Amino acid sequence: MASYIPIIGLGVSVFTLIFLVLRTRIHVLLAMLIAAVIAGITGGLTISNVVEVITKGFGSTLGNIGIVIGLGIMMGRILEVSGAMEQIAYSLIRLLGKKREEWALAITGYIVSIPIFVNSAFVILYPLAKALAKKGKRNLLTLGVALAGGLVVTHHVVPPTPGPLGVAGIFEVSIGSMMLTGMILAIPCVIGITLYAKWLETKYPEYQLKDIEENSENLQQIHKNYVEEKANKQLPSLLLSLLPIVVPIVLIFINVIIGMLQRTEEITDKTNNLSFQIINFLGTPIIALSISVLLAIYTLIPKASKYEVNEYLETGLQTVGMILLVTGAGGALGAILNESAAGALLAQYITSLPITPILIPFIISTLMRLVQGSGTVAMITAASISAPIISQIPDINMLVAAQAVMMGSLFFGFFNDSLFWMVNRMMGIKDAKQQMIVWSIPTTIAWGIGLCGVLLLNLVM
């Protein structure tokens, strides 16, 4: 019986975490710390050791990704205030042409949500979708869901958004590898949501007509105001708009490729070469994103004063404090499970199950998403619980496991998800059934496609 105490304790700690988040006024940060204490004590650690491990786990997680999260938020803020994301949307709409607006908006969402919070990006870009629906006589559901779908997928699976960065830190995998695999796995998910968005035009053809007939004056005024606002606002060029996003991705990817090549005998002897050292330095996420922030400041808002720039950056950083604390608390919980006996015991049990162990983090993330709503909290919590267990199973690729956690957090955006309400309310959808058809089903489609991608990646790697 004694050997099962750590596993029972882990179950109690997870139940306590979920109960505190759902049924009490206790914040998820404190809930995670309380769960970590319970898991540590029942897992065989002394009280003093629990505190020591929590502190160490918190610090090591934020040490890996804390600065990167801050830099990503700063870059995203400059992209918001400069109009760069709107320029990207305009350019893609012009490129793809009429009647393909949903694809342009989905691609825009895919790109801009890499550095920008999904909620902020949707608020900024939604008026464009609404104006296009009026001007092109398109179904607003199709354009709105395509935009939100592109935004939500990369927000969940591609660093430097905080959730994926936190998962990378907890699983101790390369941020560059996370970016590369996340961007690849996100593509079919975005395509799936966009195709579903096109089907909504068939499902609710009356939505467009009703919207135009009952709110024509309002829509015309929105369109007029939007056009006037953009006419008076000088947007940066497409090249400059993309530069702060593309440059760090390219630098990090080159560093990842060089890292792979260094494992070969031909390259191993050249690793001390100055050029390799420079590439390695520039491709470090902290340096790459620092360069990106500098590019954004000096190319996107060249006429802004020092005080304006500082105000923009500090406004962005105000949103990052609690995210860092929650991420650190997730790392602390993971460290406790890693040090206690529960991780090893569960790892032995999981290897005997008739399923691939890579599904464990996916299932935990899915359940956490369902019970508490936030994708970021779901993936951080699931990573904290599953990483110490998965790491003790032989032949498990931690990069694939990290992707499984992030894909699981896409499941069924529902009433407890803030984006669910934002998407539905801004499009004027009040019926609960229609709200789920419009947003819960698309996120579940992305979740299912993401699971297939993760299983395929697991076979390959």
Side-chain angles (χ1 to χ4, degrees):
M1 177 65 182
S3 62
Y4 288 101
I5 290 178
I7 295 179
I8 295 171
L10 175 59
V12 171
S13 69
V14 172
F15 174 81
T16 302
L17 172 62
I18 295 172
F19 175 79
L20 291 176
V21 172
L22 291 181
R23 296 295 182 183
T24 72
R25 293 180 294 172
I26 294 177
H27 192 273
V28 64
L29 168 66
L30 287 173
M32 280 188 172
L33 293 177
I34 292 170
V37 171
I38 295 173
I41 293 174
T42 56
L45 301 178
T46 64
I47 295 176
S48 59
N49 281 342
V50 167
V51 175
E52 182 182 342
V53 173
I54 286 176
T55 305
K56 182 180 177 182
F58 190 99
S60 63
T61 301
L62 289 188
N64 288 332
I65 49 89
I67 297 176
V68 179
I69 289 177
L71 290 169
I73 296 293
M74 292 166 73
M75 176 180 65
R77 180 61 180 158
I78 300 299
L79 290 173
E80 285 182 36
V81 300
S82 66
M85 70 167 75
E86 293 153 309
Q87 178 61 265
I88 293 169
Y90 290 143
S91 301
L92 286 170
I93 290 165
R94 287 195 298 267
L95 177 66
L96 294 178
K98 194 174 180 181
K99 298 302 180 184
R100 296 190 184 93
E101 293 91 348
E102 67 275 10
W103 293 104
L105 290 172
I107 295 170
T108 300
Y110 174 91
I111 295 171
V112 303
S113 193
I114 292 174
I116 298 175
F117 274 108
V118 59
N119 295 43
S120 301
F122 187 76
V123 169
I124 293 169
L125 290 173
Y126 176 71
L128 174 59
K130 202 164 188 178
L132 286 170
K134 170 63 178 175
K135 186 178 178 181
K137 296 183 179 179
R138 296 297 310 276
N139 189 295
L140 185 57
L141 293 183
T142 296
L143 300 187
V145 171
L147 170 62
L151 290 168
V152 76
V153 173
T154 48
H155 176 79
H156 276 248
V157 302
V158 182
T161 47
L165 279 176
V167 173
I170 293 169
F171 275 86
E172 298 182 354
V173 297
S174 159
I175 293 175
S177 300
M178 288 279 281
M179 290 179 72
L180 180 59
T181 53
M183 291 180 74
I184 293 172
L185 291 178
I187 293 173
C189 296
V190 173
I191 291 173
I193 290 181
T194 307
L195 291 174
Y196 181 83
K198 287 173 67 68
W199 173 80
L200 286 174
E201 199 164 16
T202 305
K203 172 72 173 175
Y204 297 107
E206 76 285 355
Y207 187 82
Q208 174 200 346
L209 298 174
K210 180 181 178 183
D211 196 53
I212 291 175
E213 288 168 4
E214 295 185 2
N215 303 296
S216 58
E217 184 177 349
N218 183 43
L219 273 176
Q220 287 170 2
Q221 189 61 42
I222 288 172
H223 181 52
K224 181 181 177 182
N225 293 342
Y226 190 79
V227 171
E228 287 177 354
E229 178 189 344
K230 301 314 168 191
N232 297 326
K233 178 179 178 180
Q234 186 177 0
L235 298 179
S237 68
L238 178 62
L239 176 62
L240 294 181
S241 298
L242 288 172
L243 206 60
I245 300 174
V246 173
V247 167
I249 291 174
V250 170
L251 289 174
I252 292 171
F253 282 0
I254 290 174
N255 191 33
V256 170
I257 293 169
I258 293 298
M260 294 177 178
L261 292 175
Q262 285 177 349
R263 298 170 189 170
T264 65
E265 294 182 4
E266 293 80 4
I267 303 295
T268 302
D269 298 333
K270 301 178 182 179
T271 52
N272 293 325
N273 187 286
L274 180 61
S275 60
F276 279 89
Q277 292 181 24
I278 292 174
I279 291 172
N280 182 262
F281 174 75
L282 294 177
T284 304
I286 291 176
I287 302 302
L289 284 169
S290 297
I291 293 171
S292 174
V293 174
L294 291 173
L295 283 172
I297 292 171
Y298 285 101
T299 62
L300 297 180
I301 50 172
K303 297 181 180 180
S305 68
K306 173 184 176 181
Y307 302 102
E308 288 174 327
V309 171
N310 286 336
E311 183 180 353
Y312 293 149
L313 298 180
E314 288 172 10
T315 301
L317 289 175
Q318 287 172 5
T319 64
V320 80
M322 190 52 66
I323 292 171
L324 288 173
L325 290 175
V326 171
T327 302
L333 176 58
I336 287 289
L337 298 182
N338 197 42
E339 292 289 330
S340 72
L345 289 171
L346 276 175
Q348 294 175 8
Y349 175 71
I350 289 170
T351 53
S352 65
L353 294 176
I355 60 171
T356 173
I358 213 69
L359 287 176
I360 300 303
F362 181 83
I363 293 169
I364 295 174
S365 181
T366 299
L367 293 174
M368 290 305 302
R369 161 72 166 184
L370 187 62
V371 298
Q372 57 78 46
S374 168
T376 300
V377 173
M379 65 179 81
I380 295 296
T381 308
S384 306
I385 296 170
S386 62
I389 301 169
I390 292 295
S391 64
Q392 299 186 50
I393 299 176
D395 302 322
I396 285 290
N397 189 303
M398 294 298 280
L399 173 61
V400 181
Q403 294 295 330
V405 164
M406 295 186 296
M407 287 300 179
S409 69
L410 281 167
F411 183 70
F412 204 74
F414 196 46
F415 298 143
N416 50 6
D417 175 19
S418 62
L419 188 62
F420 173 91
W421 293 110
M422 181 174 289
V423 170
N424 281 300
R425 282 175 177 170
M426 291 188 74
M427 291 196 293
I429 303 169
K430 299 178 181 179
D431 179 70
K433 179 182 178 181
Q434 189 178 5
Q435 287 175 340
M436 288 187 282
I437 291 173
V438 165
W439 189 239
S440 302
I441 292 178
T443 56
T444 306
I445 289 172
W447 169 85
I449 294 173
L451 171 60
C452 295
V454 166
L455 292 175
L456 181 61
L457 186 66
N458 188 45
L459 286 175
V460 173
M461 301 186 66

